[in-house]
Amino acid sequence: MESATSWSNPLPLSSLPSPSHSRHPSAFKFMAFSTLHTFSLPSLSSPSSFHPFPLSSLSPKPTSFNPRPLFPRTMHASRIQDAVGGALALVQSSPATWQSALLSNALIFFLGSPILVSGLSLSGIGAAFLLGTLTWRAFGPSGFFLVATYFVIGTAATKVKMAQKVAQGVAEKKRGRRGPGSVIGSSAAGCICAFLTIFGVGGEAFSRLWRLGFVASFCTKLSDTVSSEIGKAYGKTTYLVTTFKVVPRGTEGAVSVEGTLAGILASIVLAFVSFLIGWFT
């Protein structure tokens, strides 16, 4: 009877190559731990047959991968809608706040920058921004619209026959681009009325009075600007207001019929605008 040792180990350990021997696969054969199956190691001549398992079984299987954005589009759209909605709600807040006044003026000045640059210097734009913010805070969008109308009409009158005014030496400095001094001087009375409205001086009984003073101040200044600029452009005969002596166009203190009529018309237009926006109904 064969011993247990020879039965459990059919391949003697002495027949295996030592670690120091060459490991070329052709020098030895692998044997399974069964007396029924043996197989030889494939040759190195065929790289694809070197691995005991098919290489195709080790290659990764293609899988469909659809990367998702870190922030879904719906989230971006929702955030944009929330931001726009919040900005609109702030702009439309009634009564107006300093925050809504600043935001509204920043947006309007950005969109209207080409018009502002044509009529104001950079420092003048800064002064106009402060005026617009104060006006919006005191009187809301309607007050701002009134001041914007004043600016557009005044700038248009200043640009009338600019080349002729420049040639005659009677044009405004910087071809009519007004600076902060002109902005502050034109709006000083209106700014006082705006502050009185913001602080509620006199209560509801005086609020209409401050509003009337605001409109009157800009109508007066617009009449002065338009009459001066139209008089320089179209005035046939100009008179010195103190002596009624005939003087050249552009003389300080001189008036003309053409300029006076244009100034009156401009003030009527601005007053009518205040009526249209519902200030005096």
Side-chain angles (χ1 to χ4, degrees):
M1 186 174 184
E2 293 180 359
S3 63
T5 303
S6 62
W7 176 259
S8 61
N9 188 9
L11 182 64
L13 295 176
S14 60
S15 64
L16 296 175
S18 61
S20 61
H21 293 171
S22 172
R23 295 189 179 184
H24 195 280
S26 61
F28 57 88
K29 295 181 178 180
F30 287 96
M31 178 176 288
F33 291 97
S34 170
T35 58
L36 300 178
H37 302 284
T38 61
F39 66 93
S40 59
L41 190 68
S43 165
L44 288 176
S45 61
S46 177
S48 61
S49 62
F50 178 73
H51 201 282
F53 301 100
L55 293 178
S56 60
S57 65
L58 298 179
S59 61
K61 296 181 178 181
T63 57
S64 59
F65 177 69
N66 297 324
R68 296 181 179 179
L70 295 178
F71 299 100
R73 295 181 179 179
T74 55
M75 183 179 298
H76 283 295
S78 177
R79 290 182 177 179
I80 293 175
Q81 291 177 356
D82 292 342
V84 173
L88 291 177
L90 182 60
V91 169
Q92 296 173 355
S93 60
S94 181
T97 62
W98 287 112
Q99 291 84 353
S100 65
L102 286 170
L103 178 61
S104 303
N105 273 263
L107 179 61
I108 294 173
F109 271 60
F110 175 76
L111 296 177
S113 56
I115 300 176
L116 292 170
V117 170
S118 66
L120 296 170
S121 64
L122 292 180
S123 56
I125 292 176
F129 182 83
L130 296 178
L131 171 62
T133 303
L134 177 63
T135 301
W136 193 291
R137 173 62 181 85
F139 304 109
S142 58
F144 185 92
F145 179 75
L146 187 73
V147 175
T149 303
Y150 157 80
F151 172 76
V152 171
I153 296 176
T155 301
T158 303
K159 298 299 182 180
V160 171
K161 289 193 174 183
M162 177 57 69
Q164 173 185 308
K165 295 175 184 177
V166 172
Q168 295 176 352
V170 296
E172 292 289 330
K173 297 178 180 179
K174 300 179 181 179
R175 300 185 67 86
R177 296 181 64 198
R178 304 181 186 273
S182 177
V183 174
I184 296 173
S186 302
S187 62
C191 290
I192 293 175
C193 294
F195 277 116
L196 292 174
T197 302
I198 293 173
F199 292 107
V201 177
E204 187 66 23
F206 282 82
S207 62
R208 291 175 62 87
L209 180 61
W210 308 142
R211 188 171 295 183
L212 177 62
F214 183 84
V215 174
S217 68
F218 281 99
C219 286
T220 303
K221 182 57 183 176
L222 181 63
S223 177
D224 175 68
T225 300
V226 171
S227 62
S228 176
E229 296 298 333
I230 297 301
K232 293 176 185 177
Y234 296 103
K236 295 180 179 179
T237 306
T238 46
Y239 304 90
L240 193 62
V241 70
T242 55
T243 62
F244 291 99
K245 181 181 178 181
V246 178
V247 293
R249 291 179 183 177
T251 303
E252 289 293 334
V255 296
S256 65
V257 175
E258 295 81 2
T260 301
L261 291 178
I264 294 174
L265 179 61
S267 62
I268 292 175
V269 170
L270 192 61
F272 185 65
V273 169
S274 68
F275 173 77
L276 291 179
I277 61 179
W279 275 24
F280 306 105
T281 56

